[in-house]
Amino acid sequence: MTVTAATATVSDFYYGAVTPVAAYLMACLGAALGLRCTTRSLRRPQHRARWLALGAVSIGCGIWTMHFIAMIGFSVEGALVDYDATKTLLSLVVAIAVVAVGVFLVGYRGGSPLNLGVAGTVTGLGVAAMHYLGMAAIHTNGTLHYDPTTVVLSVLIAVAAATAALWAAVSIHALWASLGASLVMGVAVTGMHYTGMAAVSVHLTNLAGSSQSSADLVAFLLVMLAGPLLVLLVAAVIVMFDPDMMLGETEAETSEPVSAPLFGGDSVFPPREPAEQAQSRTSW
């Protein structure tokens, strides 16, 4: 968008549909793994904290990876763009930490409206903080400005998306339903990102003589993405080769569910199903 001579033309789609589609798929992958890990935590109270932690890491890495894959397509006409590595990594830590707060709250205290509201608000604000901290890591020969109304809208979308994700985590347990929920969550999270990017304008202080970031920038982002992508791959392997799949759900669910003692909340586990019903469900 070009509005004045001092304002650069900004694009989020320098490589066309490649970056938004790839970003959306990463958001869906993180959401899908997070939902399946939460389902495992409901079945395995003795290992609940481990599954919830893996779910939080998966969702956090998925959101962060979505953001920086989308940022590969970010360009400023007449300016070079690079990133501060410390702030970039800090935004990853923030993403995982705030998602963990929300996941553990609903994992141990259940999905009551009040609890979902608190957990969703905290998580959504944290996701928005991750986004804008990642934007603060940008270095360019100009200054970034944000439209306040659009920023507020992006934060509201983040809170709504986080609340819906946490509700799905404790309410949707069937395989295909959770996969469908992850597709919807991918739309919400990616939509939050591009809404936030719509708030951005860049005012150049001098000309760099280039209309796009150098190949070094893409290489830097790919290196930064390698770690979270590896984490998502490991999480996918753990979920797919969990003993529930190897042994079958009937054997895996023989232990009785117990209430959540850590925070004093009621049990969020569903009633134990008859063996013939358990065998009929997919266990991915």
Side-chain angles (χ1 to χ4, degrees), residues 15-181:
Y15 297 103
V18 174
T19 49
V21 170
Y24 169 72
L25 293 177
M26 288 300 102
C28 291
L29 176 61
L33 291 173
L35 291 178
R36 298 317 298 166
C37 288
T38 306
T39 297
R40 292 292 192 273
S41 77
L42 301 182
R43 297 176 187 160
R44 307 274 192 79
Q46 68 274 26
H47 300 302
R48 186 187 316 161
R50 298 178 187 176
W51 282 112
L52 291 176
L54 182 60
V57 170
S58 298
I59 297 173
C61 285
I63 294 172
W64 187 90
T65 302
M66 173 278 302
H67 172 84
F68 279 98
I69 287 179
M71 291 307 294
I72 291 176
F74 177 72
S75 67
V76 180
E77 184 177 355
L80 290 175
V81 177
D82 61 12
Y83 289 83
D84 180 273
T86 301
K87 290 181 180 178
T88 301
L89 291 174
L90 180 59
S91 68
L92 173 60
V93 174
V94 169
I96 294 174
V98 297
V99 170
V101 171
V103 167
F104 273 81
L105 276 174
V106 298
Y108 278 99
R109 296 188 63 86
S112 68
L114 177 60
N115 196 53
L116 278 175
V118 173
T121 299
V122 171
T123 305
L125 292 175
V127 169
M130 178 278 299
H131 173 86
Y132 290 105
L133 180 58
M135 294 300 295
I138 292 177
H139 291 163
T140 188
N141 56 312
T143 56
L144 273 64
H145 297 269
Y146 296 90
D147 175 65
T149 301
T150 311
V151 169
V152 171
L153 178 60
S154 71
V155 173
L156 292 177
I157 293 174
V159 171
T163 304
L166 294 173
W167 171 84
V170 294
S171 304
I172 299 177
H173 307 298
L175 171 61
W176 294 110
S178 63
L179 290 180

